[in-house]
Amino acid sequence: MHDLFPRTLDDFQIKPAKKLTGQVAGLFVAPNRDFVTQAVDSLDLTFEGISGDYHEGFTRRSGGREPWYPRKTEMRNERQLSLVAPDELAEIARRMDLPQVRAEWVGANLLIDGVPHLSMLPAGTLMFFKNGVTLKIDAQNGPCRDAGRAVGEGAGVADVQGAALLFPKVAKRLRGIVAWVEKPGTIQAGETVSLRLPEQWIY
């Protein structure tokens, strides 16, 4: 069993930390009891997330992503914000044979342009926004049928259930990332963002 792991620290392949830059191409909030979002000019963030948003809170209830807990177990909310990229949404649309997939349909809060393979950013990446907000990336966002259903409804397809089933298959590793607020403040549309990726290695 232990042969599967590096024998010494020198056996680990470590990728150095790096910096990237991007831009806020869109901001969105879910003010109702539905994860589908609406476009806004700015986001006001506290340590609980976006003020008035569907995912606001220090804690949240567990769901299908946490099979190790009974459903609706109260746990830390590491999914305060959802971030997606225009190029990845376009690729999902191509795979679903749709004219477009909008950030609002998948419940995104930020549309980030200029960052290659946004969905592949490692956990622990820090995002420093020009006006002072800092977000910390928790994980890749796994695609689900609920988002697929919203995409089907938003695109006006005849087979919404088919879209709901297709989306998780074609959107894997393209669905964006989830993050939480490390330093609160306000994010404005068009703002630049600097990313600091940590060292990376495979354990």
Side-chain angles (χ1 to χ4, degrees), residues 4-189:
L4 298 175
F5 297 95
R7 295 176 183 273
T8 70
L9 282 177
D10 292 333
D11 293 324
F12 281 92
Q13 294 185 8
I14 298 177
K15 301 293 184 181
K18 65 174 65 176
K19 294 181 180 181
L20 298 172
T21 58
Q23 187 173 28
V24 178
L27 295 171
F28 312 90
V29 65
N32 304 312
R33 302 315 297 166
D34 183 3
F35 78 93
V36 174
T37 51
Q38 302 171 10
V40 292
D41 294 327
S42 63
L43 291 180
D44 294 322
L45 304 179
T46 70
F47 285 115
E48 294 188 71
I50 302 170
S51 299
D53 186 77
Y54 179 74
H55 290 102
E56 181 184 16
F58 288 120
T59 63
R60 66 179 180 88
R61 301 291 180 177
S62 65
R65 292 183 174 89
E66 299 83 27
W68 42 87
Y69 296 133
R71 287 285 181 120
K72 297 187 178 180
T73 298
E74 188 174 19
M75 57 178 287
R76 180 179 295 280
N77 184 13
E78 81 295 10
R79 300 176 58 85
Q80 292 176 339
L81 296 101
S82 168
L83 296 79
V84 296
D87 58 334
E88 293 183 334
L89 292 179
E91 176 61 17
I92 294 171
R94 187 192 69 79
R95 293 181 180 188
M96 296 185 71
D97 197 23
L98 298 174
Q100 64 176 341
V101 170
R102 298 183 62 86
E104 300 96 317
W105 299 346
V106 296
N109 301 117
L110 288 92
L111 184 66
I112 302 294
D113 199 8
V115 178
H117 304 290
L118 181 83
S119 294
M120 300 302 288
L121 290 172
T125 295
L126 288 167
M127 304 182 71
F128 298 93
F129 292 81
K130 184 178 179 181
N131 290 337
V133 169
T134 304
L135 301 182
K136 194 163 192 176
I137 294 173
D138 179 78
Q140 200 172 86
N141 198 0
C144 66
R145 292 183 184 180
D146 289 341
R149 186 173 295 105
V151 167
E153 292 172 350
V157 301
D159 185 7
V160 172
Q161 183 61 24
L165 294 172
L166 179 60
F167 181 78
K169 299 176 182 177
V170 302
K172 188 175 183 179
R173 310 208 186 286
L174 294 169
R175 173 70 173 84
I177 49 182
V178 290
W180 48 273
V181 178
E182 179 161 286
K183 183 173 175 287
T186 299
I187 300 175
Q188 301 285 346

